Amino acid sequence: MTRSVYVTGIGRSDGRQVVELGVMELLTRQVDRVGVFRPLVHDEPDELYDLLRSRYRLTQPASSVFGMGYEEAAALQAEQGTDELISRLVDRYHQVSDAYEAVLVLGTDFADTGLPAELALNARLANEFGAAVLPVVAARDQAPEAVVAEVRNAHDAYASLGADLIAMVANRVADPEAAAAVRGLAERLPEPVFVLPEEPALAAPTVAQVKEATAAKILLGDHAGLSRDVRNLVFGGAHLPVFLPALTEGCLVVTPGDRSDLLIGALAAHSAGSPAIAGVLLTLDERPDDQTLALAARLAPGTPVLVVPEGSMPTADALLSLEGKLTAATPRKAEIALGLFETHVDAAQLSAQLSVERSERVTPMMFEHELVERSRAARRHIVLPEGTEERVLRAAEVLLRRNICDLTLLGDPAVIRKRAAELSIGLDLPAGDETPADPLSGPGGATARIVDPQTSPLRERFAEVYAALRAHKGVTYELAHDVVSDVSYFGTLMVNEGLADGMVSGAVHSTAATVRPAFEIIRTRPDASIVSSVFFMCLADRVLVYGDCAVVPDPGAEQLADIAIQSATTAARFGVEPRVAMLSYSTGTSGSGADVDKVRRATELVRERRPDLLTEGPIQYDAAVEPSVAATKLPGSAVAGQATVLVFPDLNTGNNTYKAVQRSAGAIAVGPVLQGLRKPVNDLSRGALVQDIVNTVAITAVQAQDAFPHGSGG
């Protein structure tokens, strides 16, 4: 039976999109196919649905997502009554519920709907859908007693209408006393009550949203600049000495377009890092001359400079009421929202209330969720050598906000802080030099810190360690002192010395630059003859493990067997049931030759060493993954047609295959994940996206849990 969750409210501005996003996250952790249904919709684009479709890779036809428009619904209700309206919406809902294992229902928004008794309408729809109800109450700027009264009244209203309540949410609670009062109310209600605090980063609009709201035109700036958060407004009219002290980090400067002195002054302050502003908005349709704009572009490349036709007062009216939105164009805000939800909502308790049966098959979305959950279970400390790289900084914010791991960023602290401020990244990095003994508070409980290898007191210690490890290669202390200032070597030594649990690098460094220090310093485990790698290939409907596609060029039969066993162990560790296919250009006994014989011998070795593993080989790729081909080529095989771990005969085949599948099938390739090292170090593709970095760090954190089962080395 389809399980549906109806997220609703009692009024406007409750910020329930955070809860809707969080519930969608919970549902996609449990089941493969999740549908979305919004009974009533405004004519404009549905920004939340666009976000859900983008983030969760929904393939549901848009025509089935929406019941009908508010105007049509109001007219139908007026002409034919509420029962007819409900009947039609129920019919459209069942088109979705019949096709999906779970459905997220997005209740009405109480904004210019033209519908009477809107709360009662939501309750009745939920009852007719057979959906559990999760009401969200707006608590912004309310006294504790008012918040408690609102939550209780909402609970009683929905309960009296027969709604199947699973929890209550008080959202945007800024007052600590109000939060405590609502938590006290939970003891007197039969359902859980969750409290989400006000999050300034969600309320802050981006520069792009300011542009849209004011119909501004772009004079200067790039995409990254337009994605900056506007945390404050500074209206410039005073002389420069009075104006500059008023600037705050993340502020948008609003000034008449003929004040070139304020434009240049604000951008010069930004360039100096005191402070990093969001941008400049020029009013009255006044544009600086070309010489001034050229100077502005050189002072602060990428920083937005916009112009609007209106004066300062009408512009201020438009800006003061503007709030941030969760949209497909603001993926960073979605991560912030999920971090907020996951920090303040007991996921296990709410999941139990949802009563959704978990799918047996591991989908890519479930795989990613499982990574995050497992990494949170025993938080580890990961070092990121490329601390000044934009993608790494954006990934670091996600990792901290979602409480995935503690971090050390390597690099010049001033450069890292300035870059983070320019990107509106909320790492909360204070001024001053940081060392591993000085953690920085991060959102959600996880912490981050900055270490500069050039100036860190650890440099001398690491030089001594590296010189001792490489003395047989003639490495002196003086040479080691230079080598360990390299971020890859410094990060690897942090892991080796127990100052971090794992390392992830490669966004701007080559694989060799990342892996060579690990080979020299960390070395292989006693039970591993080689270091190899796997990619987790997240296809549309399953997760496969490919090995080795990055490290061992031409393994012999013994090495190939080791790669297969390592890959199967890694697969099982991350929730993929290992069924191992030893790939070749022939299947079974149909071919011969040195290459096929190598794979055949490797298969025999795997079966000898790990008789518990389901292993098949030699086998061709199509026979390994396609049941219809397997039925012809290897009927009765326990692996053919359903292999999950695919072991390639050499690096040339593996590397080309993973890239071909990644590009042609739109697969997400997570890796390479190194296996066989004593402590976890993992490489990134230089084209890695932010989510790729997050996934790889989460994998590294889980590997570190296995390496240090009783506590973190950090």
Side-chain angles (χ1 to χ4, degrees), residues 312-342:
S312 295
M313 288 303 294
T315 301
D317 288 341
L319 293 177
L320 290 173
S321 61
L322 186 61
E323 286 200 346
K325 297 179 181 178
L326 288 176
T327 72
T330 59
R332 176 178 165 266
K333 287 190 184 294
E335 294 293 350
I336 293 170
L338 283 173
L340 184 72
F341 183 87
E342 291 166 346

Side-chain angles (χ1 to χ4, degrees), residues 32 55-57 361-371 534-546 574-576 621 644 646 657-671 673 691-692 694-696 699:
D32 178 13
R55 181 178 182 85
Y56 297 102
R57 302 187 281 275
R361 188 162 56 89
V362 177
T363 68
M365 195 68 63
M366 292 178 194
F367 174 74
E368 291 181 5
H369 293 324
E370 184 70 17
L371 282 181
V534 295
F535 278 90
F536 288 95
M537 301 299 294
C538 300
L539 303 172
D541 60 347
R542 56 188 151 167
V543 177
L544 300 177
V545 177
Y546 284 9
F574 290 97
V576 178
Y621 190 99
T644 56
L646 296 111
T657 302
Y658 108 75
K659 288 181 177 177
V661 172
Q662 180 186 32
R663 299 301 176 186
S664 61
I668 297 172
V670 181
V673 177
Q691 190 59 45
D692 299 332
V694 171
N695 288 339
T696 303
I699 283 175

Side-chain angles (χ1 to χ4, degrees), residues 370-390:
E370 184 70 17
L371 282 181
V372 171
E373 287 301 305
R374 290 185 62 185
S375 58
R376 281 201 200 104
R379 199 168 69 227
R380 292 293 184 259
H381 173 194
I382 305 301
V383 59
L384 304 177
E386 299 155 325
T388 59
E389 161 64 26
E390 176 182 339

Side-chain angles (χ1 to χ4, degrees), residues 15-22 25 47-48 51-52 54-56 140 171-172 196-210 212 223-232 250 278 322-342 393-395 397-399 401-402 423-426 443 690-691:
R16 87 180 74 144
Q17 294 83 2
V18 174
V19 178
E20 291 165 335
L21 187 65
E25 187 84 2
E47 293 177 326
L48 179 69
L51 169 62
L52 296 177
S54 171
R55 181 178 182 85
Y56 297 102
R140 190 182 191 188
N171 193 27
R172 308 188 74 174
L196 301 185
E198 178 75 0
E199 172 52 70
L202 287 178
T206 63
V207 178
Q209 290 169 343
V210 167
E212 182 181 353
H223 176 75
L226 291 172
S227 69
R228 295 177 188 174
D229 286 342
V230 176
R231 304 178 192 174
N232 191 17
L322 186 61
E323 286 200 346
K325 297 179 181 178
L326 288 176
T327 72
T330 59
R332 176 178 165 266
K333 287 190 184 294
E335 294 293 350
I336 293 170
L338 283 173
L340 184 72
F341 183 87
E342 291 166 346
L393 285 169
R394 293 194 183 280
E397 182 182 31
V398 175
L399 292 162
R401 287 193 178 275
R402 301 193 68 183
L423 297 169
S424 296
I425 290 174
V690 171
Q691 190 59 45

Side-chain angles (χ1 to χ4, degrees), residues 34 90 116 140 178 194 229 247 251 270 308 319 334 361 458 460 475 559 568 608 640 643 667 700 705 713:
V34 180
V90 168
R140 190 182 191 188
F194 303 113
D229 286 342
L247 297 179
C251 72
H270 173 90
V308 293
L319 293 177
R361 188 162 56 89
L458 290 170
E460 284 71 27
V475 174
Q559 290 180 318
E608 290 172 8
T700 308
Q705 290 171 0

